[in-house]
Amino acid sequence: MNGLRIENLSKSFGGVQVLNDVSFDVLPGKLTSLIGPNGAGKSTLANIVSGFLNGDSGEIWLDEVRVTKMPTYKRARRGLSRTFQNLELFKGLTVRENAVLGGFTKLSGLAIRNPLTSKINNQTLSTIAEQAMQDLSISNLAEQHVDSLGFGNAKNVEPVRVLTAGPTVLVMDEPAAGLSSSDAKNLGLWLRELTKKNIAILLIEHNMNLVMDISDHIVVLDHGELIAKGSPQEIRTNQKVIDAYLGQSR
């Protein structure tokens, strides 16, 4: 199966079980949202999927390749990209330079040591980055250093950067956090456009209006347990989810 497959994933820290036997798929051309209260294990799962942590048990498959023990950089070269809750930008560089750097994930050698002066695919990466900046309405900021940006604009640089890597699977960890309603809506429209490129998207997000509007499937964690998965309508009316997270029918 292409896309992302998570099979029986478990993880504990000391005596605390953070994930317990979690399984679900993220399919190409679909947007799957992962939701749940703080401490549910969502970011831990994202870190395991992207290789920053190892699970205690379970398997991770990326486009039919088992990547459970694969280093982070090799997963990236195979098409896995992600954003982070906290901004992880290259300070001192411009928006455009940050954006283009994402595309060098799959290159090696001299191009990685000096990516900004490399001629390898430079024009292609610049074109992709320019289109992504336009889509997220930050192309007017292309030559500004990211250090000078307000939070909302800086937050939109990471999605642009990961897109230039040409991902087949994209993990987005709370990309709408701190965004205005209009910026969050624009982000949602952009993510829906990405699914048309057959990218498998895993969205971790607390903005329930956004999640319910743009998701094809929703997976719900609570204290490391998968308590529900289904369509937005199914999740919206699921009593376990209402009790654990939503608080009321939405």
Side-chain angles (χ1 to χ4, degrees), residues 16 22 83 132 136:
V16 179
V22 174
T83 64
L136 284 171

Side-chain angles (χ1 to χ4, degrees), residues 190-205:
W190 182 73
L191 290 173
R192 287 308 314 173
E193 285 298 312
L194 291 187
T195 62
K196 297 178 183 178
K197 303 182 182 204
N198 213 37
I199 298 173
I201 301 176
L202 177 61
L203 173 67
I204 301 171
E205 187 54 64

Side-chain angles (χ1 to χ4, degrees), residues 137-195:
S137 303
I138 59 171
S139 57
N140 61 312
L141 305 174
E143 307 310 324
Q144 291 193 30
H145 284 78
V146 294
D147 315 57
S148 68
L149 299 180
F151 180 80
N153 286 325
K155 188 77 172 178
N156 280 330
V157 177
E158 272 201 314
V160 168
R161 187 176 63 192
V162 296
L163 185 61
T164 62
T168 59
V169 174
L170 179 56
V171 179
M172 306 283 286
D173 197 352
E174 298 193 30
L179 295 184
S180 67
S181 296
S182 60
D183 285 342
K185 183 178 180 179
N186 192 36
L187 173 68
L189 293 173
W190 182 73
L191 290 173
R192 287 308 314 173
E193 285 298 312
L194 291 187
T195 62

